[in-house]
Amino acid sequence: MVLDPLWLLLALPVAFALGWLASRLEMRQWVREQRDAPKAYFKGLNLLLNEQQDKAIDAFVEAVQDDPHSADLHFALGNLFRRRGEFERAVRVHQHLLQRGDLPGAERERAQHALAQDFMKAGLFDRAEEAFRALEGTLFDTEARLALLTLHERSRDWRAAADVAARLEKSGIGSFAARIAHYWCELAQEADARGDAAAAEAALQRAREAAPAAPRPWVLEGERHLRDGRVAQALHAWDELRARHPLTFPLVAPAYAQAAITAGQRARALELMQALYAQAPDADLLAALRLLDDPARSAQRLLAHLRHQPGLTVAAQVLEVAPSDWAEDTRTRLQGTVARAAQPLQRYRCAACGFEARNYFWQCPGCQGWDTYPTQRIEDL
């Protein structure tokens, strides 16, 4: 069959017109989709700003369904789920992103970081550690190492924490020497608990090497020697503490005084305590001076301290040396009343979060911060 050239001439304009019409329809559909997707997104954002998180999530879910390839919408939805504590749903969103083969490398790293945060918030620390380790060498390397450091601290894996902290310090983002010293001190205490004295001493040596000015290794060193009956060595360790970090010395002042009495060094210890007390009056130094000095002079010192720095703790000690002509019942009642009133003021308070504790902590049980407790109790601040 031979086609008439006239029909070809007529068919060409018709084909062109149909193609043009199809392209216009497709363009209009694409424009409509692009208009609807931002509308749903901004609707969700507006609801979020108005603290209507439930409706915001519904809007974002709708936006993701309309545009399943939009990574930013997935991230917004996953972050919303995490903030609401719906960690399982956040994990599913970010895992879906990671399974997409068309996701760029930078977005894949971002999704991996978000997934690690989901596991961290959900308390799935083993999976969080694995997810954060996958970020080594990426743009999130520093954030991942800092998160790993927190994970190791929570799990009390002090050796791994020391290794991560050392790498962070080498990267130049800051000094981690004091924290590394704490990690080795924790390892020393663990070694002492299982009776491994050699490992404990080696760990304390590593702590001193990591941070020569850190006070904790010298505190622990003195306590170890005193516990094992090596009084002279305990005094030497605490003398180093006094020389390097005098503000921390009051923590061991009463124990130092008792050790000095045992070693026959009462006069020397009394002279040292008097000099320290003159520089910075402190209730712990007062307690040490009571052990070392004459009772009459101790009573005068207590009264003088009470005049210049009124406090219930010292008042309770004054009642212990009250005149002998007081009735015993009166003395006991007053002493008990003052002692109970003084108890809340005899705590240490974290400077970072305000957590209070009867005992001194190197790491705050509340905010997990290191060296956040002043060495003075609330009453002495």
Side-chain angles (χ1 to χ4, degrees):
M1 175 179 164
V2 180
L3 292 177
D4 190 342
L6 181 61
W7 284 106
L8 291 176
L9 291 174
L10 292 174
L12 286 175
V14 173
F16 176 79
L18 291 174
W20 178 84
L21 181 61
S23 66
R24 292 292 296 176
L25 291 174
E26 185 178 353
M27 179 64 71
R28 287 182 180 180
Q29 182 180 359
W30 180 84
V31 170
R32 189 182 302 111
E33 291 176 353
Q34 294 302 310
R35 187 189 303 119
D36 292 342
K39 183 178 179 181
Y41 175 78
F42 287 120
K43 177 184 176 182
L45 184 61
N46 182 56
L47 291 169
L48 182 61
L49 292 174
N50 289 318
E51 298 184 358
Q52 301 181 46
Q53 293 192 7
D54 291 330
K55 293 182 179 180
I57 285 179
D58 293 338
F60 280 125
V61 169
E62 179 184 351
V64 169
Q65 290 173 346
D66 292 338
D67 187 7
H69 298 292
S70 174
D72 287 333
L73 291 179
H74 282 77
F75 283 122
L77 187 59
N79 290 338
L80 267 177
F81 284 143
R82 189 195 309 134
R83 286 179 57 185
R84 285 174 53 85
E86 299 181 49
F87 304 119
E88 185 176 350
R89 299 178 74 181
V91 167
R92 286 205 303 268
V93 170
H94 295 130
Q95 283 180 333
H96 171 71
L97 277 173
L98 286 172
Q99 290 169 0
R100 282 176 46 180
D102 62 338
L103 198 66
E107 294 297 290
R108 186 171 298 278
E109 293 172 3
R110 181 182 172 192
Q112 180 70 30
H113 184 247
L115 180 63
Q117 289 179 306
D118 296 338
F119 289 141
M120 183 86 158
K121 290 291 186 180
L124 303 173
F125 295 148
D126 54 340
R127 300 184 69 179
E129 181 177 352
E130 181 182 352
F132 279 122
R133 288 195 182 280
L135 290 166
E136 293 183 2
T138 69
L139 293 175
F140 295 93
D141 183 86
T142 299
E143 292 89 338
R145 290 187 189 278
L146 289 171
L148 284 171
L149 192 63
T150 301
L151 283 172
H152 293 322
E153 286 185 3
R154 289 186 179 182
S155 61
R156 303 186 68 79
D157 189 350
W158 304 116
R159 198 172 295 275
D163 180 61
V164 172
R167 293 184 181 182
L168 282 168
E169 185 158 5
K170 288 180 180 178
S171 68
I173 68 169
S175 175
F176 289 81
R179 292 176 75 167
I180 293 172
H182 280 301
Y183 300 151
W184 285 109
C185 286
E186 294 287 346
L187 287 168
Q189 289 185 306
E190 290 180 356
D192 271 330
R194 63 176 182 267
D196 192 344
E201 180 58 38
L204 285 180
Q205 181 60 33
R206 293 288 297 272
R208 288 191 290 266
E209 292 172 357
R216 190 182 182 185
W218 299 105
V219 171
L220 295 182
E221 182 76 13
E223 290 175 349
R224 293 186 69 250
H225 287 313
L226 190 64
R227 187 169 56 248
D228 294 338
R230 299 186 294 270
V231 180
Q233 290 91 327
L235 291 174
H236 175 73
W238 286 337
D239 282 334
E240 287 288 339
L241 172 67
R242 177 175 51 82
R244 296 169 181 266
H245 212 287
L247 293 178
T248 309
F249 183 79
L251 293 175
V252 301
Y256 184 97
Q258 193 62 59
I261 294 171
T262 303
Q265 300 183 27
R266 181 192 293 265
R268 173 181 172 275
L270 177 60
E271 183 179 352
L272 290 174
M273 294 293 177
Q274 287 174 333
L276 288 172
Y277 180 79
Q279 294 173 3
D282 182 271
D284 289 319
L285 293 174
L286 269 179
L289 285 167
R290 286 190 63 191
L291 292 171
L292 296 166
D293 207 356
D294 176 80
R297 284 196 295 270
S298 294
Q300 293 175 359
R301 189 180 292 109
L302 285 170
L303 290 170
H305 185 99
L306 193 61
R307 282 194 297 270
H308 291 93
Q309 292 182 323
L312 291 173
T313 301
V314 178
Q317 296 183 45
V318 169
L319 288 174
E320 294 179 11
V321 294
S324 57
D325 56 353
W326 283 20
E328 184 66 27
D329 181 64
T330 301
R331 184 203 303 265
T332 302
R333 286 178 181 274
L334 281 173
Q335 188 174 343
T337 301
V338 173
R340 283 193 298 273
Q343 284 180 358
L345 301 176
Q346 293 171 345
R347 297 172 178 269
Y348 297 96
R349 178 186 292 155
C350 174
C353 70
F355 189 92
E356 296 181 4
R358 291 279 297 174
N359 298 323
Y360 184 85
F361 287 100
W362 299 98
Q363 183 184 28
C364 175
C367 65
Q368 306 299 313
W370 293 96
D371 296 320
T372 56
Y373 276 88
T375 55
Q376 292 178 306
R377 293 180 175 84
I378 296 174
E379 191 175 32
D380 293 326
L381 291 174

